[in-house]
Amino acid sequence: MTHFEKQIDTSTVYEGLIVNVRMDNVELINGKQVKREVIVHPGGVAIVPVTNDNKILMVRQYRYCVGEEIIEIPAGVLEAGEEPLNCAIRELSEETGCTAGRLIDLGAIYPSPGINRETLYIYLALDLQAGEMHLDDDEFLSVEAIAIDEIFDMIMENKIRDAKTIVGIMKAKNILDGLNGGNNG
């Protein structure tokens, strides 16, 4: 069976700085009509930057929406017309000051597909060169280099709950284990 919902009509109920919210009327496969709230987001990137001594550069910052300081991989929002790879290069430089000799595409995810149209592109950044951070005016964060096995433990202990970080670390660990013969700690 193919599952599908047909959009009947749509209206924008909110226009924000980054996201818009729509209310769609849709028809279900059984013919019933229902409403769907949709957050329209431009998409973004997340980067797993690996230092030459096999540590991951993580950023620690306060996240207003969840009301706490969290540790996560560097990430940012796509600008209009920007390619995800270019956004990853820009965000890595802004948040860590680093440039990568190699960026490996780890794929894209839908962080919350039940309500949000955001697509998040994840990259593994290798062969890092240090430089100067240049944060946005409203961005306050610190960078920490942490062993991937320690980050994995933090995920399993529920100390890291950020979805993009969990997915990025899991995918990166798989690649790094292959590159390093399972020796990444």
Side-chain angles (χ1 to χ4, degrees):
M1 171 186 246
T2 300
H3 300 282
F4 181 76
E5 297 180 2
K6 178 182 174 188
Q7 183 186 66
I8 304 301
D9 61 47
T10 185
S11 63
T12 299
V13 295
Y14 172 78
E15 290 185 22
L17 299 173
I18 297 174
V19 301
N20 295 335
V21 179
R22 290 189 339 228
M23 181 67 72
D24 291 358
N25 289 312
V26 301
E27 183 178 318
L28 304 177
I29 57 175
N30 65 0
K32 182 179 177 184
Q33 289 191 13
V34 297
K35 293 190 179 294
R36 296 285 190 230
E37 295 172 310
V38 179
I39 298 169
V40 180
H41 188 286
V45 300
I47 308 102
V48 182
V50 182
T51 64
N52 293 335
D53 62 349
N54 251 2
K55 300 226 171 135
I56 307 296
L57 295 181
M58 303 285 286
V59 297
R60 183 178 297 275
Q61 63 186 320
Y62 183 81
R63 288 297 195 174
Y64 179 82
C65 289
V66 295
E68 63 185 74
E69 182 181 79
I70 66 173
I71 191 159
E72 60 190 294
I73 57 177
V77 176
L78 284 162
E79 294 177 358
E82 186 177 31
E83 290 296 319
L85 180 63
N86 293 333
C87 183
I89 292 166
R90 176 177 54 78
E91 287 294 337
L92 178 64
S93 176
E94 285 179 10
E95 294 191 3
T96 69
C98 292
T99 56
R102 288 189 294 161
L103 281 166
I104 299 171
D105 185 348
L106 297 179
I109 62 170
Y110 302 129
S112 187
I115 194 165
N116 191 341
R117 289 192 47 126
E118 177 183 17
T119 299
L120 194 59
Y121 303 88
I122 304 174
Y123 293 89
L124 177 63
L126 303 171
D127 305 326
L128 299 180
Q129 297 296 317
E132 293 291 318
M133 290 171 56
H134 40 277
L135 300 172
D136 294 334
D137 291 340
D138 64 348
E139 218 169 15
F140 301 92
L141 57 84
S142 58
V143 178
E144 301 175 23
I146 305 173
I148 196 166
D149 288 339
E150 184 179 341
I151 297 168
F152 185 83
D153 290 345
M154 293 168 73
I155 290 168
M156 297 311 294
E157 294 164 3
N158 206 32
K159 292 178 182 173
I160 293 177
R161 296 185 286 173
D162 174 59
K164 72 182 174 305
T165 298
I166 294 168
V167 172
I169 293 299
M170 297 300 174
K171 287 186 167 212
K173 186 166 177 25
N174 188 50
I175 299 269
L176 293 170
D177 283 348
L179 291 175
N180 300 325
N183 235 354
N184 286 285

